[in-house]
Amino acid sequence: VYTASGERFNENDLTAAMWGVPFGTRVKVTNLRTGNSVTVRINDRGPAKRLVKKGRIIDLSAEAFKRIADLKQGVIEVKVEKL
């Protein structure tokens, strides 16, 4: 599986999908409940448009997500800051 940037997707990389942000941009994602944060590189487009309409702003790789939350949570509230 390849990302929109053309690189192979690896769930173990600290990467994310986000609309309107240039590929290669680094962003800090903070879990609003715990304060835990992770820095990721944008390498894909997403979340799906139907999910954006519901308020989703970013999709994290599995590795990035588990650095700030339990994978069982699935969806959490976050703050995203461009670095």
Side-chain angles (χ1 to χ4, degrees):
V1 174
Y2 288 89
T3 66
S5 67
E7 67 185 78
R8 183 179 290 275
F9 175 70
N10 183 339
E11 68 182 23
N12 298 309
D13 288 343
L14 296 178
T15 57
M18 191 171 183
W19 294 101
V21 179
F23 296 136
T25 300
R26 295 199 181 277
V27 298
K28 180 180 176 183
V29 182
T30 303
N31 179 331
L32 293 179
R33 188 175 59 79
T34 65
N36 294 338
S37 63
V38 64
T39 298
V40 297
R41 180 177 49 83
I42 303 300
N43 72 338
D44 203 2
R45 295 291 173 235
K49 296 282 187 178
R50 64 182 167 71
L51 298 175
V52 171
K53 290 178 183 176
K54 293 181 178 183
R56 279 208 206 165
I57 56 173
I58 193 166
D59 273 342
L60 298 174
S61 66
E63 181 62 30
F65 190 87
K66 70 183 182 184
R67 299 245 180 140
I68 63 170
D70 185 327
L71 284 173
K72 295 175 190 167
Q73 289 181 278
V75 177
I76 60 171
E77 290 190 25
V78 298
K79 177 172 102 174
V80 178
E81 303 169 86
K82 291 181 190 175
L83 300 178

